[in-house]
Amino acid sequence: MIAIGCDHAAVKLKDAVVDFLKSKGYDYVDFGAVEGEAADYPDKAILVAEAVSQGKADKGILICGTGIGMCIAANKVKGIRCALCSDTFSAHATREHNDANVLTFGERVVGVGLALDIVDTFLSTEFSGAERHVRRIAKISAIEDKYFK
Ligand code: RB5
């Protein structure tokens, strides 16, 4: 299950990603926004991030104007490793190395063709499982344990 959401700045690109998920046969839950809806990015980021952190979705996709606000907000949720990717190399690397579970990008930054390639790469790349990457992710979890209530 893929959870997806966007703010008012990214409805067109979010809808294109939803069409892509449908065409590839992914199950998804769309938290909006819809055309004409005013949506602050943290309000959508938390819906997608909670769906992933609670195990209701395997991965999340969040889109705003830049992808930056969504990324900052999603990473405030325990267990979320959210990556802002504007290229396929980063999308591939963040799955292999960071086991990122939420992807963000910006409608004002990437075109629809590149965005769909980024989504495809992110969703089809597995975590490498290499010891050094597992160790580093465990250190991120330790930071969460220190600073999250
Ligand atoms: C909305 O204008 C814009 O600030 C938002 O979509 C996003 O880019 C924030 O990071």
Side-chain angles (χ1 to χ4, degrees):
M1 177 67 72
I2 310 298
I4 185 165
C6 68
D7 71 357
H8 54 273
V11 174
K12 279 191 175 59
L13 185 53
K14 186 268 293 174
D15 287 345
V17 173
V18 165
D19 287 346
F20 175 80
L21 295 176
K22 269 188 224 166
S23 77
K24 291 282 184 179
Y26 286 105
D27 289 329
Y28 66 91
V29 54
D30 180 358
F31 288 105
V34 295
E35 206 62 62
E37 176 187 349
D40 291 337
Y41 61 82
D43 297 333
K44 298 297 183 178
I46 193 167
L47 297 175
V48 167
E50 284 184 343
V52 174
S53 70
Q54 293 169 4
K56 294 174 184 161
D58 306 299
K59 293 196 181 71
I61 301 170
L62 284 163
I63 316 169
C64 60
T66 59
I68 297 169
M70 287 293 197
C71 189
I72 293 169
N75 275 317
K76 301 297 181 192
V77 176
K78 190 172 166 67
I80 294 302
R81 290 179 301 280
C82 178
L84 171 61
C85 298
S86 300
D87 63 274
T88 55
F89 178 84
S90 298
H92 190 270
T94 198
R95 285 290 309 126
E96 265 199 348
H97 292 210
N98 315 121
D99 198 14
N101 48 17
V102 178
L103 168 69
T104 68
F105 47 85
E107 179 172 308
R108 298 170 184 164
V109 181
V110 296
V112 63
L114 176 56
L116 299 185
D117 279 355
I118 289 168
V119 168
D120 197 22
T121 301
F122 184 84
L123 295 180
S124 61
T125 304
E126 296 296 325
F127 176 50
S128 79
E131 188 279 334
R132 68 187 186 285
H133 296 314
V134 171
R135 182 181 71 240
R136 291 162 189 163
I137 291 167
K139 289 183 179 186
I140 294 172
S141 300
I143 295 170
E144 285 183 341
D145 291 343
K146 184 172 178 185
Y147 286 101
F148 282 56
K149 278 188 197 165

